[in-house]
Amino acid sequence: MKKLSLLVVCLAFFGFANAQLANGSFAPNFHLFEINKTDGTIITTDTISLYNYTDAGKIVYMDIFATWCSPCFSYHSSHNLENLYTQYGPEGTNEVRVLGIEGSQGNYASLSGTGVDAGGHASQGDWLTGVGYPVIPTAMAPNTDAVCTDYAIAYFPTIYMVCPNRLVYEVGQQTTADLYASKSTCPSFNNTLNNNALIVNGSGINGTYYCTANPTPTITFQNV
């Protein structure tokens, strides 16, 4: 039997981790900064906030990758996310946003394909040339890797889609057409209502309760 020549995914941090966020989970917000693709500086004058996008009604696709990860680069080189951004991003129909988030030890050298990352790991190639959407290296200050913890990243690449109602779904390494089609998972709402509430999270009510019970439910609503 021939050995597999390519891993399907790269396990995060070269080891095992917890499972990804369950589909339909409430997406945590983040405030991050993209890299200047020309000189490698971090652009701190323009904060990238997930909720700014979702509150504007945009569907956000997040490619969380590592520069040392071969399957990540293979998917990156397929240009499916770039094509999605071109066709349906700000210069297209303006329905979606795409973010490339380097979740390991990536720096300008590894992102540009000219050297190793901060941990000395070889890069798979050039992640910046020809990319129109923001690329965010979590290892470069003032960014942090909190987004990887918040989104329970267990392997690279992880491709998430966040709906305008802030619910997140893992969509995987799909074609441009299939990525765009996955937006049908996001519900549509009656935007003519001033107060259109959605329960996005609930806890504290499980099992059977009797008269002497003191349940303390917590319910999160969102105006959609």
Side-chain angles (χ1 to χ4, degrees), residues 49-204:
S49 168
L50 176 66
Y51 289 178
N52 283 350
Y53 290 145
T54 56
D55 289 352
K58 309 305 178 186
I59 299 169
V60 182
Y61 293 83
M62 300 159 46
D63 175 16
I64 305 174
F65 67 94
T67 56
W68 46 260
C69 170
S70 178
C72 299
F73 193 68
S74 293
Y75 184 64
H76 172 79
S77 300
S78 72
H79 305 298
N80 284 302
L81 284 168
E82 181 62 32
N83 292 336
L84 181 76
Y85 184 75
T86 300
Q87 295 177 50
Y88 306 108
E91 302 302 319
T93 59
N94 201 25
E95 300 169 71
V96 310
R97 295 294 183 267
V98 177
L99 300 174
I101 301 177
E102 207 289 337
S104 184
Q105 296 175 292
N107 51 24
Y108 185 54
S110 65
L111 284 166
S112 61
T114 60
V116 299
D117 68 11
H121 310 114
S123 174
Q124 291 294 317
D126 185 349
W127 302 80
L128 302 178
T129 301
V131 175
Y133 55 82
V135 176
I136 301 166
T138 61
M140 295 181 67
N143 292 327
T144 73
D145 63 358
V147 63
C148 294
T149 301
D150 291 344
Y151 281 83
I153 300 304
Y155 47 79
F156 300 122
T158 295
I159 316 295
Y160 278 131
M161 177 187 70
V162 182
C163 296
N165 65 350
R166 301 181 184 177
L167 299 189
V168 59
Y169 300 87
E170 187 176 357
V171 294
Q173 302 173 55
Q174 299 190 67
T175 65
T176 298
D178 287 339
L179 286 170
Y180 183 69
S182 66
K183 75 184 184 68
S184 63
T185 304
C186 300
S188 58
F189 300 102
N190 184 349
N191 292 327
T192 63
L193 300 177
N194 290 326
N195 296 292
N196 188 9
L198 170 74
I199 296 177
V200 294
N201 192 25
S203 63

